[in-house]
Structure formats: C-alpha cells, structure tokens
Amino acid sequence: MNHPAPGHPAAGRPGTGRPGTGAFGPPVDPSAPVTSFGTGLLITEVRRVPGGQEYEWLRAPGPVAPAPFAPVPGTLRRVCEGIGEHHGVRFAVGEETEGPTGAGRRYRAGHDRSVIHYLLVGGPAEVPGGAAALERALRGTGALLAALHRAPIPTPTPTPTPTPAPAPGPARGLRRLWTWLAGDSRAAEAFAAHDGVLDTLRRWCAQALTADADSADGRPARPVLSHGAPGLGSLVPDPRTGTAVLLTGEDLCLAPWPYDLGWITGELAELRWAHGGDAAEWQRLLGALVEGYGRGLGERARRWAALRIALHAHDTLAYSDEGRAAAVYVLLAARLVRGGATR
C-alpha cells in the first residue's frame, strides 16, 4: 500500500512513469528505475526486466515504517498461486528481496503502471482497454479475494532456517489503526490538534472496530485469510494481453472478510470524491467487484469504507510529507460516518 498526496488514493506519488526515464531525471544506465515513488511507510521502484517486456516492481518498507515485511510461508504462497486466474486476474505473490531499508518484495508484472495511475490521470476510461477492461479486472479481483477468503488458514511452514516462517497474523492496516486509537502513533499529536471532527471520527473508529473484534484482545473475530491491502495501486494491468496481476504478499493476513472489500470500496469512494466524473460509472466499478466476489458488504459498506479512509488519513499524516492533505480524507470519512456508516 502506498500513501498518497491529495487525490492520490493509495498510490503514492507517481514518478514520470515513462519508460527510459527515471523519477528524478534521465537514467545513467539501463537498469535505472523506470519510475519510483514512496512515503515513510512504503517505497516502490519499477524496473524493466533486461531483454524482456516485463517489469519488476520492487517494494520495501519506508524509513519510518512501524514494522518490516514478514516472509510469505511456502504454504501460503501455494494457496495464492493455486487459486489461478479469474477474469484475467491472478495473484502475483513475488519474492523476498533486499530493499534500501531492509527486506522487501520483488514482483513481476506486464506493465510499469498500476490501475491507480490511470484513475488519477483521467478516470476509468484511461485504463488500458477502457472502463470495460477495468470492470473486468475488478470482477476478477473480487473473485480472487473470494477464493482466498474461502481457503483454509495454513499452519506455519517448517523451514531449514532456525526461525520458522510465521503464519499470517492480523492485518497491518488494522494494527496501525489500533496504534492510533491507543494514542501511540506518530500521527497522534497531529490528530489531537484537531478536536471536534477528528475526535468524533476517532471514537467512531474504535466503536466500529469493536463491532468486528474479539473483546478479549482486539483481534479480528472470525478471521479469514486476507490480502490485507488490495489497493488499486497494487492492481497492474498488462496492455499487451488484457490481463492483470494483483501484487500480493507484504500484507497477507487474517482479517474479517469485509476488510479486503472495504479497502477497495474506500479507495473508489476517495477517487469519486476527489475527481468526480460519472457517478454511475464509479458505481459500475464497485458492482463489478461485488459481482466477482459473489456478495456485497450491504449496510456495512459505508463502515468499512470509512475505516479504510480514516486509516488513509492517519497514514498520510504519519508517513507523507503532504500530511495536511489528510484533512480531505478525514472530512470524507466523517461524511460517511454521518451518512450511516455505524449501522
């Protein structure tokens, strides 16, 4: 997940995105990044695979990320890869690699730009293949998430190393929300400086999380195997084939089943809020996701979307140099709350 400036939901600040040019000027060698962007939470570089038409997406925790990436156990990798392709979309689990601030992940994809890049530039019509292709990609994403949520939770995989690979734990996003609510966050002081709406939103988040949490220790009740951050910045189309991959691995977790759907629902709400356009078209995108998943969030949609947007506001304050933009997301989350998100 990336943490963007205003109008850049879950995408970070894109670089030039032009093959052959780096984010900060012309490359000095062919292996230079095609684009790079990041925040204090997550750093992303995209490089062309030498001699091929694919791209490597290198992602690593940012310099002030609260926790490193966890390795993906072999059993969990096999679960994701065994799900295969749905409506032209599949999981790209990636591999552990060494990033500038520690262990990161390396993924292969057929393009150097994610879906969010096109949505920020001009909306659904700008995605390769147009809005119809994006609907298909979201339908496939919904189907992938449904299959993952139905999968048995794997046990830790024994490894030859002294430290066994861990089983998936609670969502990293929920951990950041809990940290904020506990007052132990880099953004806590900034939030506290804006009493009123922010305090109301903070109390509401605590109540909303409690509604889906075990009261004993705050862990999600009835957890399912989840992607953890299936943002549109992780959905990478391949213009050559009309397919797409969902970058997967760094946030694999256990969470209530609405968590993943709420993540994408919140991002679509942010995009519609920030960029406007045809309301029916945005609704069709959400409908495609729900159709692929096989069920919708119903009356919980506003609540989970608001939680996602509140987390985005927190992360923008805590990890982005454009933290003031978080006010936009705070207001949107508050509006969703007032509109019945607590139901």
Side-chain angles (χ1 to χ4, degrees):
M1 184 189 71
N2 294 332
H3 299 273
H8 292 187
R13 186 183 307 149
T16 64
R18 305 297 301 174
T21 62
F24 306 105
V28 296
D29 64 69
S31 64
V34 172
T35 186
S36 61
F37 48 90
T39 67
L41 185 63
L42 178 67
I43 296 172
T44 300
E45 284 188 358
V46 184
R47 299 173 183 269
R48 185 184 290 276
V49 175
Q53 295 182 305
E54 288 189 312
Y55 293 84
E56 275 192 343
W57 286 62
L58 307 172
R59 305 212 298 195
V64 293
F69 289 173
V72 175
T75 49
L76 192 49
R77 169 186 291 279
R78 288 191 287 276
V79 167
C80 294
E81 293 178 343
I83 289 172
E85 186 174 296
H86 290 261
H87 302 279
V89 186
R90 62 177 175 80
F91 289 123
V93 181
E95 302 174 344
E96 277 81 33
T97 188
E98 193 63 24
T101 57
R105 295 197 70 77
R106 177 174 55 217
Y107 307 89
R108 283 286 183 98
H111 199 33
D112 60 342
R113 307 178 197 181
S114 68
V115 164
I116 196 73
H117 173 92
Y118 295 98
L119 293 178
L120 293 172
V121 169
E126 295 295 320
V127 175
L134 178 55
E135 286 183 34
R136 181 170 181 257
L138 287 171
R139 192 173 294 110
T141 299
L144 283 183
L145 295 175
L148 182 63
H149 293 178
R150 289 193 300 266
I153 298 172
T155 55
T157 304
T159 71
T161 60
T163 303
R172 293 199 309 162
L174 286 176
R175 293 181 193 178
R176 294 199 301 278
L177 266 179
W178 291 329
T179 300
W180 167 40
L181 297 175
D184 185 16
S185 166
R186 293 183 67 244
E189 183 176 351
F191 271 88
H194 299 275
D195 288 337
V197 171
L198 286 172
D199 276 354
T200 300
L201 182 60
R202 195 170 176 169
R203 287 195 297 273
W204 173 83
C205 284
Q207 294 170 357
L209 285 172
T210 302
D212 287 287
D214 182 324
S215 59
D217 59 4
R219 292 173 63 86
R222 300 181 302 280
V224 297
L225 199 54
S226 301
H227 181 283
L232 300 173
S234 296
L235 185 58
V236 183
D238 186 337
R240 297 170 303 157
T241 63
T243 61
V245 296
L246 183 63
L247 309 184
T248 302
E250 60 218 51
D251 286 285
L252 281 166
C253 63
L254 302 180
W257 72 266
Y259 180 78
D260 280 345
L261 289 187
W263 193 280
I264 304 177
T265 301
E267 288 195 346
L268 290 174
E270 286 183 20
L271 286 161
R272 180 181 170 186
W273 169 278
H275 300 282
D278 184 352
E281 187 169 51
W282 291 110
Q283 189 61 39
R284 283 196 295 273
L285 297 179
L286 180 59
L289 174 72
V290 169
E291 180 184 323
Y293 190 80
R295 65 186 293 193
L297 293 172
E299 64 182 15
R300 289 171 289 197
R302 281 178 174 270
R303 184 175 69 197
W304 283 96
L307 280 170
R308 162 64 186 130
I309 295 167
L311 176 61
H312 194 180
H314 166 271
D315 288 346
T316 303
L317 276 168
Y319 304 113
S320 171
D321 58 2
E322 300 183 53
R324 292 180 182 176
V328 173
Y329 305 120
V330 170
L331 291 173
L332 175 55
R335 179 173 175 175
L336 288 171
V337 171
R338 287 196 303 270
T342 53
R343 289 196 301 266

